[in-house]
Structures are given as C-alpha cells and as structure tokens.
C-alpha cells in the first residue's frame, strides 16, 4: 500500500502513477462499479426469464395466464413505473441545479409511484393466491412468482434506498457523496424499468397470446 | 477536474431528453398493450414478433434517454460491459429455450423414438 511507504520511497515512485491517483479521488469510479453490479443483476434476471421461458407453459392442469392476468391492471402498473422514471429524472435535474427542496419533492413523488406499483403488484399476487394460484400450484406459477417477485423485491429495496437518500439530503445537503448516490439510484431505478419492459412483454402480453 | 463535472451532470441529462424518452416509452408501451388487449391482429405469431420488437426498441430508448448510455460514458467501459452482458443474456436465454424445447419434444410420451412394446395404454 502506498501510504505505508516512507516519503523517500514514495518520491522514488514514478510521477505518472502519482498523477494518476490524484485524478481518481474517492468515489471516482463508483458509477462504473455500480453499473457493473447492475449488469450482474441483469444476469440474474436473464436466468429467471430463461426459467420462465422453459417452464412457463407447464400449468399442471392448473390456471394459465389467461385465467389469471388482468392486462388493464398491468397497464396501470406499467404507467406507475414509467411515471416514476420521469419524476426521478426531474429529481436528478433539480439536483444539478442544486435545489435540495425540489430534489426531495421529486424523490418523494417517485417513491409514491413506486409504492403504488408495489401496492398494485401485491394486490395482484394476493388475488391470485386467493384463487388458489399459489407458487406451489404449477411450474408456471413458481417461475412467475420468482421472476415478478424478484423484480418487486428490487423495487422495494429501491424505495428503501430512496427514503434513506431523502433523509441524507436533508441532513447533509447536496454533497458530492450524495450526488454520487443519487446518480447510482438513478441507474438502479431506470434499470428496474428496463427489466419491467421485459416482464410485461414476455410474461403478461405474450402470456395472453398463448 | 473535467471528469468530475461530467459525472455530476451528464450532457444527456436534460429536461428535453427526459421528456423525449418519456413520450417515446409511453407510445412504445401503449401500442403493444393495444395490440394484445384489442386483439388487433389475426395472427398471434405476428403480434408476438411485433411486441418483442417494440420491447427491444423501448429498452434502447430507456438506455439512451434515462440511463444516459453513450459510447463515451466512463470512457466506453459501460458500453463494453453492457455488450458483454448482452452476449451472456442471449446465450442464456436462447440456449435454455432451445435445449429445453428439444428435450421436451424428444421426451414426450408417445414420441416415435420412445415407443416400446411394454408401453402402457
């Protein structure tokens, strides 16, 4: 480690390396690292999509997509997520203008849309389970609940992160660290929206076409 | 440093950009829902292909307008990691579906390769 070296040893190191380290101060590569985490998350969803694709037609004489899915509910849900994406964008724009109040307000609106999404999804799940379409019922339902549930879990954690960040902003303001966190959550939130495009297309819309 | 200014305010993050992305994604979402809910097309296969195409385009729209992907972001590393991930995703999805489809059709009871004299009726 460089800080363990004496000054003389440090001075003996080449200048190029020294300049390079100054260029990347704390958090300089956080966004790229977070992006790579999202890519690994993308692989998790790819595997869940593949599982759904393989066993999605195995109803075990139980209910199928046409018996269970309500597309108008899914359309409303999709609208909630899309609206939360644009409001998060407004929060980012407000943070660039250094307006803490506006940033927090737009974050709150984003969180409410996220909660509405989760509420509708949980209502849908509860409705399905009430009708006997539990995850144990068939391979199709196991794969469905795992895929859609994993996405919902991500949204849940996104909302927890969002509330945490609103408190952080209130306490410390728009510091460089908080700006970085806002940018990371922005990636996370918009990434979940991209995954949802896959979910409503492959699970819900294509399910109704089967 | 210019690198940090860039990180704080990506050049693509503008009100205009977000609104463009939003309007495009609303259109790209509404059409597939309309096609399926209204039963517009006779052919289910054609409908499936069209909604998959819309999903692909909408994902690209989100990447550009919401995730601010560009060839230059993080000196190209975001794009490189995305392309690498997409290759893995395609292998995972296409490979699983292809292999398991053939496994299913070859393991079906009554399939010509599995007919044996002892098979129960």
């Amino acid at each position: 480690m460089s800080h363990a070296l004496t000054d003389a040893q440090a001075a003996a190191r080449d200048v190029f390396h020294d300049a390079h380290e100054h260029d990347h101060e704390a958090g300089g590569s956080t966004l790229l690292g977070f992006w790579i985490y999202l890519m690994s998350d993308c692989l998790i969803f790819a595997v869940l999509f593949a599982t759904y694709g393989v066993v999605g037609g195995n109803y075990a004489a139980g209910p199928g997509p046409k018996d269970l899915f309500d597309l108008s509910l899914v359309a409303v849900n999709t609208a909630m997520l899309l609206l939360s994406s644009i409001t998060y964008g407004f929060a980012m724009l407000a943070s660039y203008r250094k307006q803490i109040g506006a940033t927090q307000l737009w974050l709150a609106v984003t969180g409410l849309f996220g909660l509405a999404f989760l509420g509708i999804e949980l209502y849908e799940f509860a409705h399905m389970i009430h009708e006997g379409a539990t995850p144990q019922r068939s391979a199709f339902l196991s794969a469905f609940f795992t895929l859609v549930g994993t996405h919902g879990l991500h949204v849940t954690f996104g909302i927890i992160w969002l509330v945490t960040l609103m408190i952080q902003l209130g306490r410390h303001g728009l510091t460089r660290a908080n700006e970085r966190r806002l940018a990371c959550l922005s990636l996370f939130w918009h990434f979940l929206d991209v995954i949802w495009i896959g979910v409503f297309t492959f699970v819900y819309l294509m399910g109704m076409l089967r | 440093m210019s690198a940090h200014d860039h990180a704080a305010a990506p050049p693509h993050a503008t009100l205009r950009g977000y609104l463009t992305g939003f309007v495009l994604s609303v259109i790209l979402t509404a059409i597939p829902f309309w096609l399926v809910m209204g039963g517009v097309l006779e052919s289910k296969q054609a409908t499936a292909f069209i909604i998959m195409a819309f999903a692909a385009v909408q994902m690209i729209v989100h990447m550009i307008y919401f995730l601010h992907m560009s060839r230059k972001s993080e000196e190209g590393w975001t794009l490189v990691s995305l392309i690498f991930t997409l290759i893995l995703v395609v292998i995972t999805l296409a490979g699983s579906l292809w292999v398991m489809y053939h496994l299913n059709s070859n393991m079906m009871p009554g399939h010509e390769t599995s007919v044996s004299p002892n098979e129960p009726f």
Side-chain angles (χ1 to χ4, degrees), chain A residues 43 52 63 94 138 147 156 174 200-201:
Chain A
L43 293 180
Y52 183 83
S138 64
L147 173 58
T156 310
L174 277 163
F200 80 67
T201 304

Side-chain angles (χ1 to χ4, degrees), chain B residues 93-110:
Chain B
L93 280 174
S96 304
L97 292 174
W98 182 58
V99 168
M100 295 309 286
Y101 172 77
H102 284 279
L103 187 72
N104 267 345
S105 53
N106 288 331
M107 298 291 277
M108 280 295 182

Side-chain angles (χ1 to χ4, degrees), chain B residues 6-69:
Chain B
H6 178 82
H12 295 276
T14 57
L15 180 63
R16 195 190 166 85
Y18 277 117
L19 289 177
T20 310
F22 181 70
V23 170
L24 281 177
S25 51
V26 167
I27 296 168
L28 291 167
T29 305
I31 294 174
F33 271 94
W34 170 68
L35 283 178
V36 175
M37 289 172 88
V40 180
L41 296 176
E42 287 281 310
S43 163
K44 286 186 173 183
Q45 208 163 17
T47 313
F49 271 114
I50 292 171
I51 64 174
M52 282 205 288
F54 271 100
V57 174
Q58 196 183 346
M59 282 178 182
I60 294 167
V61 165
H62 278 242
M63 292 275 176
I64 293 171
Y65 290 101
F66 292 156
L67 288 162
H68 311 303
M69 283 288 298

Side-chain angles (χ1 to χ4, degrees), chain A:
Chain A
M1 303 298 287
S2 60
H3 57 258
L5 300 172
T6 65
D7 286 347
Q9 280 173 310
R13 305 189 72 143
D14 58 338
V15 182
F16 173 76
H17 184 254
D18 202 28
H20 185 75
E21 286 206 334
H22 278 290
D23 210 13
H24 290 263
E25 50 194 274
S29 52
T30 305
L31 271 181
L32 178 59
F34 193 76
W35 177 260
I36 289 170
Y37 152 70
L38 286 181
M39 292 300 100
S40 72
D41 223 11
C42 194
L43 293 180
I44 293 179
F45 280 107
V47 172
L48 293 177
F49 271 111
T51 310
Y52 183 83
V54 169
V55 301
N58 302 2
Y59 308 133
K66 277 184 183 161
D67 310 313
L68 297 169
F69 296 162
D70 179 3
L71 276 192
S72 42
L73 207 61
V74 181
V76 173
N77 233 355
T78 307
M80 291 299 128
L81 220 52
L82 268 182
L83 284 167
S84 81
S85 258
I86 185 86
T87 56
Y88 198 98
F90 292 154
M92 288 302 284
L93 293 174
S95 81
Y96 297 149
R97 292 191 303 264
K98 304 288 175 196
Q99 296 169 338
I100 295 182
T103 309
Q104 284 180 310
L105 183 73
W106 283 118
L107 284 180
V109 174
T110 307
L112 288 178
F113 278 127
L115 280 176
F117 171 84
L118 273 184
I120 295 171
E121 188 159 86
L122 287 175
Y123 165 78
E124 187 200 19
F125 281 6
H127 188 67
M128 285 171 71
I129 289 168
H130 181 71
E131 286 186 347
T134 60
Q136 299 97 309
R137 182 63 189 82
S138 64
F140 151 66
L141 283 166
S142 307
F144 168 82
F145 276 104
T146 312
L147 173 58
V148 183
T150 305
H151 178 271
L153 209 58
H154 275 76
V155 176
T156 310
F157 283 113
I159 291 172
I160 293 171
W161 186 0
L162 194 132
V163 172
T164 316
L165 209 47
M166 282 171 68
I167 297 168
Q168 288 265 342
L169 280 176
R171 280 195 179 171
H172 306 293
L174 277 163
T175 58
R176 179 163 281 176
N178 276 346
E179 281 175 351
R180 198 167 63 230
R181 289 163 190 152
L182 270 174
C184 282
L185 182 56
S186 169
L187 288 180
F188 187 73
W189 200 260
H190 293 309
F191 167 78
L192 290 183
D193 214 6
V194 174
I195 297 294
W196 183 253
I197 299 169
V199 173
F200 80 67
T201 304
F202 290 105
V203 176
Y204 290 102
L205 293 180
M206 304 259 288
M208 295 305 261
L209 291 175
R210 275 174 196 265

